[in-house]
Amino acid sequence: MNPANLKIIEITEYQSKSFSREEISEEVGIILYEKYNSQVNVEFPSPKTRNQWKLTAKGYVGYIPLNADLALKINPKVPIKNLFGMLEYAYNLKSFKFPEGLMNCESLEDFYNHLAYVLADKIIERCRKGLYRTYVPKTEQLAYVRGRLNVQQIIKKPWNVKLQCAYQEHTADIIDNQILLWTLFHIGHSGFCKEKVSLIVRKAYHAMQGMVSLQPYNSEDCIDRIYHRLNEDYHLLHQFCRFFLDNTSPNHEKGKNTTLPFLIDMARLYEMFVAEWLRENLPHQDFTLETQERINIGENIYFQTDLILYDKTDSKPKYILDTKYKNHKKPSSEDIAQVVTYAVSKSCPETVLVYPTELNHSLDEYIGEIRVRNLTFSLDDKIEDAGNTFLTKLFS
């Protein structure tokens, strides 16, 4: 839980806000400028800024602890309910039905705390049933025989009273559980949890602590794990963990008591969301979807596309889609050049720039034989309605 005397200053993504010299110290301003320039543009007090600090949020939302007395919160421009909707698709959480009260939270703190509470509660439930265990090979010097003896070692060192044994240990101290414990550790150090949530996170952590060792993991470790009837519920738990580990980064300070920044890369989340929504809602008899396809154009030179729709009848690319979570009024020349290059390299007849809001100036032109246009997959409306509107316009 945040200390009572902690001051939180707030900005909104893609918006600028000014603060007086007294509100932000020079030390804190330097931390923001040096450590978080990808998330926040910092202008120091000067005649240009009327001797005030000017902070402009980029495409991130979340929480940055700056020191013991001050934190920065970056609010999303999209409704929190739609942030849940994006999360459901992007992290494959559709199978978990969020309670209606959870979906109606109005602040970023509520969003984070609800998700942390759900994960901790699910972990406690699994601890009551018993953590998943498996056999792990171990080799140890023992005073007694266990498993298979290393005869060669005994012959070489007959004076050694301890025997080298290789055996299988049935243990809960495995990656599946270590990922859960590491995520709870991150949540507990976020400084973003309310007292009620902190209590249940600590309870879940202590329930695992005696059986599972604390090992560092990242979000990639949560992907493509093997699940079966004994650990099938871990898939959902690991998807929650993936979200937290994706969006929690190391702090600028060292020490076990420091808090951790929680920052959602909205551009990445939007890309993942659009991809997973299309994967579930495309007319599957007509198209297949490929994401993050690598296109090699020379030695050590390649492109990585967001989304490509292939025609099932001939396996040829039909549409190249590039998501642009930006605050633009019209497609930029750089973005147009980028997607045209993708289309040329794949011999694709059509490419689409996908934005979360309507642009003031739309594009629908041919560059050579390649059609280039922009479409909107809105985050302001109901997600399902917005997606269906997007699909209709895409195929029109």
Side-chain angles (χ1 to χ4, degrees), residues 6 25 27-28 31 64-71 252-253 259:
L6 179 68
S25 68
E27 178 187 3
V28 166
I31 290 172
I64 303 174
L66 298 168
N67 59 27
D69 304 311
L70 186 67
H252 56 273
E253 298 176 357
T259 53

Side-chain angles (χ1 to χ4, degrees), residues 83-95:
L83 203 56
F84 268 112
M86 294 170 70
L87 175 73
E88 284 183 320
Y89 278 101
Y91 289 91
N92 297 307
L93 298 174
K94 289 287 289 180
S95 60

Side-chain angles (χ1 to χ4, degrees), residues 10 64 81 87 107 116 142 167 190 192-193 207-208 211 224 236 247 260 279 281 290-291 308 348 369 385:
E10 299 186 34
I64 303 174
K81 184 171 183 177
L87 175 73
S107 70
L142 300 174
Y167 61 95
S190 69
F192 210 36
C193 291
M208 299 186 72
M211 298 175 284
D224 296 330
L236 180 67
N247 301 297
L260 300 170
R279 200 183 303 280
N281 292 279
E290 292 295 330
T291 61
I308 302 180
C348 182
E369 296 182 352
D385 293 343

Side-chain angles (χ1 to χ4, degrees), residues 249-310:
S249 58
N251 199 8
H252 56 273
E253 298 176 357
K254 302 293 183 183
K256 63 181 182 179
N257 294 321
T258 59
T259 53
L260 300 170
F262 170 71
L263 290 162
I264 302 174
D265 183 345
M266 292 297 289
R268 175 64 180 143
L269 180 61
Y270 184 62
E271 177 190 328
M272 292 168 64
F273 156 68
V274 172
E276 294 305 321
W277 192 93
L278 286 174
R279 200 183 303 280
E280 188 167 314
N281 292 279
L282 275 174
H284 295 290
Q285 70 275 14
D286 299 326
F287 298 101
T288 57
L289 174 69
E290 292 295 330
T291 61
Q292 295 297 306
E293 183 174 322
R294 179 165 166 161
I295 304 170
N296 295 306
I297 60 171
E299 188 175 354
N300 298 323
I301 302 175
Y302 63 91
F303 300 127
Q304 194 131 330
T305 59
D306 286 357
L307 308 162
I308 302 180
L309 296 184
Y310 285 90

Side-chain angles (χ1 to χ4, degrees), residues 8 105 150 272 316 393:
I8 299 177
C105 65
N150 186 335
M272 292 168 64
K316 291 182 178 180
K393 291 183 177 180

Side-chain angles (χ1 to χ4, degrees), residues 85 106 117 119 137 187 206 222 292 294:
E106 296 179 353
Y117 188 94
L119 176 60
I187 293 170
H206 292 311
C222 303
Q292 295 297 306
R294 179 165 166 161

Side-chain angles (χ1 to χ4, degrees), residues 7-11 17-33 40-45 51-56 66-67 69-73:
K7 181 181 178 182
I8 299 177
I9 56 175
E10 299 186 34
I11 56 178
K17 189 173 180 180
S18 296
F19 300 89
S20 68
R21 281 178 176 269
E22 292 73 28
E23 288 181 278
I24 302 175
S25 68
E26 185 173 352
E27 178 187 3
V28 166
I30 291 172
I31 290 172
L32 266 177
Y33 180 77
V40 183
N41 183 62
V42 181
E43 293 184 61
F44 285 69
N51 290 314
Q52 293 183 313
W53 293 94
K54 186 178 180 182
L55 306 183
T56 305
L66 298 168
N67 59 27
D69 304 311
L70 186 67
L72 173 67
K73 186 171 71 167

Side-chain angles (χ1 to χ4, degrees), residues 84-121:
F84 268 112
M86 294 170 70
L87 175 73
E88 284 183 320
Y89 278 101
Y91 289 91
N92 297 307
L93 298 174
K94 289 287 289 180
S95 60
F96 177 75
K97 299 300 180 184
F98 288 103
E100 188 61 30
L102 226 147
M103 297 288 286
N104 290 333
C105 65
E106 296 179 353
S107 70
L108 190 62
E109 296 100 317
D110 287 343
F111 173 78
Y112 184 95
N113 277 270
H114 281 311
L115 292 177
Y117 188 94
V118 168
L119 176 60
D121 186 57

